[in-house]
């Protein structure tokens, strides 16, 4: 075997940069620094920011004469570092400042990740939500994390401050004498049966069967996947759960959205076959207390009035 001179190993073409251990370490250090800075930004500035996202959907079956404004708080996941009680308070104050006709809470009320730095007890986040004010009321549905971690305590917390939760129930409301229905669906992932296998508490046919006249319908459903089964009769479906992807690493995040439909219902206003869905990116975090590319948001919706 012909011996190979060490020079043949280390010599590099003159036009190419010489790869030395120092340069490799600089490169790795730079990437690590950029990664840490990104995570730091995602855990700090972005996860603790707050924005209001506004929509003006025009569903075919919502009467133009019925102007209704709705503020939506989804996926509160109360708990530090990013959703400590001060931030919960700020979210409530921001929602109140919008002065909507109706406030809707779309579930997943408390943080369940392993990195909680500030525990916000159930009665504390519930007391903050009890400060929400809207002339047509404040209504809630529960989310999968509420079910997986303590549905009894979540139910008790909302009931303790007089906030009604709609579980497969529809209520008839009216704005300026014009009726509409608000329906709330039981959680679709309530019971974990195995990896990726769940049994829900949702009963869409039973919920919609309670609608006794032809007034327009708003449906609250924590997870957006139900949208494929929602009939034309419903003017607008409101969901959360996905956190908009939460950490939008380019090219990858779409595969990490917790939905059977990938990014199809991940975020925003979706219109399919004349049916309307709005998915909130929510406020808090799950898994890790980091957000990237999807800042915490309160959704403000205006229906009708055109
Ligand atoms: Fe969820």
């Amino acid at each position: 075997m012909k011996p190979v001179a060490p020079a043949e190993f280390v010599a590099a073409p003159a036009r190419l940069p010489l790869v030395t251990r120092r340069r490799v370490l600089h490169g790795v250090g730079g990437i690590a620094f950029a990664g840490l800075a990104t995570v730091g930004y995602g855990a700090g500035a972005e996860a603790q920011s707050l924005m209001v996202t506004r929509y003006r959907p025009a569903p075919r079956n919502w009467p133009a004469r019925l102007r209704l404004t709705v503020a939506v708080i989804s996926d509160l996941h109360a708990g530090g570092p990013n959703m400590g009680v001060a931030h919960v308070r700020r979210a409530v104050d921001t929602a109140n400042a919008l002065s909507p006709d109706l406030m809707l809470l779309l579930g997943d009320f408390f943080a369940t990740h392993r990195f909680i730095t500030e525990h916000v007890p159930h009665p504390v986040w519930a007391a903050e939500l009890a400060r929400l004010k809207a002339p047509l009321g404040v209504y809630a549905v529960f989310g999968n994390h509420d079910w997986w971690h303590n549905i009894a305590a979540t139910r008790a917390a909302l009931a303790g401050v007089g906030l009604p939760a709609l579980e497969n129930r529809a209520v008839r409301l009216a704005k300026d004498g014009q009726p509409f229905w608000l329906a709330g669906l039981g959680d679709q992932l309530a019971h974990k049966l195995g990896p990726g296998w769940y049994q829900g508490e949702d009963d869409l046919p039973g919920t919609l069967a309670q609608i006794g006249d032809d007034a327009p319908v708003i449906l609250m459903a924590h997870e957006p996947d139900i949208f494929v089964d929602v009939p034309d009769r419903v003017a607008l479906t409101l969901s959360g759960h996905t956190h908009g992807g939460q950490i939008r690493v380019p090219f990858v995040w779409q595969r990490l959205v917790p939905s059977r439909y990938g990014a199809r219902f991940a975020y925003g206003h979706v219109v399919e076959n004349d049916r309307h869905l709005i998915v909130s990116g929510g406020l808090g975090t799950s898994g890790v207390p980091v957000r990237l590319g999807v800042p915490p948001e309160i959704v403000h919706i205006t229906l009708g009035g055109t």
Side-chain angles (χ1 to χ4, degrees):
M1 184 184 198
K2 187 185 168 197
V4 178
E8 289 185 47
F9 267 103
V10 296
R15 283 168 295 171
L16 293 177
L18 188 63
V19 178
T20 65
R21 189 163 175 270
R22 174 180 282 192
R23 284 193 182 200
V24 167
L25 287 175
H26 274 167
V28 170
I31 291 168
F33 177 78
L36 282 172
T38 304
V39 169
Y41 170 78
E46 177 154 337
Q48 297 183 33
S49 64
L50 180 61
M51 56 187 254
V52 175
T53 308
R54 295 175 190 270
Y55 297 95
R56 260 199 102 97
R60 183 176 36 80
N61 47 4
W62 188 273
R65 66 182 183 283
L66 174 48
R67 186 179 191 278
L68 182 77
T69 55
V70 182
V72 177
I73 288 180
S74 188
D75 301 271
L76 185 68
H77 289 294
N82 54 310
M83 282 306 295
V85 71
H87 199 181
V88 174
R89 193 169 294 145
R90 184 155 65 109
V92 168
D93 291 342
T94 303
N96 279 337
L98 296 170
S99 301
D101 298 316
L102 184 65
M103 296 263 199
L104 302 179
L105 312 174
L106 298 187
D108 279 4
F109 290 95
F110 53 97
T112 58
H113 57 73
R114 294 184 213 160
F115 308 97
I116 295 173
T117 57
E118 179 193 336
H119 181 59
V120 180
H122 298 301
V124 173
W125 58 254
E128 286 300 323
L129 294 179
R131 296 194 301 106
L132 291 168
K133 296 276 179 279
L136 300 188
V138 182
Y139 292 87
V141 290
F142 296 117
N144 56 313
H145 285 267
D146 304 321
W147 272 95
W148 294 350
H149 294 273
N150 203 337
I151 186 63
T154 315
R155 277 205 184 104
L158 291 184
V161 295
L163 287 177
L166 301 180
E167 293 188 83
N168 299 320
R169 197 151 69 83
V171 292
R172 194 171 186 268
L173 304 174
K175 163 89 184 290
D176 300 331
Q178 299 181 73
F180 68 95
W181 290 88
L182 177 65
L185 198 64
D187 187 62
Q188 298 153 67
L189 304 176
H191 307 283
K192 285 183 183 175
L193 303 180
W197 189 29
Y198 305 94
Q199 184 175 340
E201 286 280 327
D202 54 305
D203 178 5
L204 183 62
T207 305
L208 298 182
Q210 298 163 38
I211 292 165
D213 58 30
D214 60 358
V217 181
I218 297 172
L219 173 68
M220 295 189 283
H222 177 72
E223 295 91 356
D225 283 11
I226 195 72
F227 185 59
V228 296
D229 296 321
V230 174
D232 296 2
R233 176 72 185 82
V234 173
L236 177 63
T237 301
L238 300 174
S239 294
H241 177 63
T242 61
H243 301 184
Q246 187 170 313
I247 302 172
R248 288 201 174 196
V249 175
F251 312 115
V252 178
W253 72 268
Q254 294 93 333
R255 290 187 214 166
L256 303 176
V257 176
S259 165
R260 271 176 290 163
Y261 304 100
R264 179 173 162 192
F265 306 137
Y267 181 79
H269 186 190
V270 177
V271 183
E272 291 188 355
N273 301 324
D274 243 358
R275 300 170 314 119
H276 290 245
L277 164 72
I278 290 176
V279 182
S280 168
L283 286 162
T285 53
S286 61
V288 290
V290 175
R291 277 180 174 260
L292 204 59
V294 197
E297 68 175 9
I298 291 170
V299 163
H300 182 270
I301 299 165
T302 304
L303 283 158
T306 51

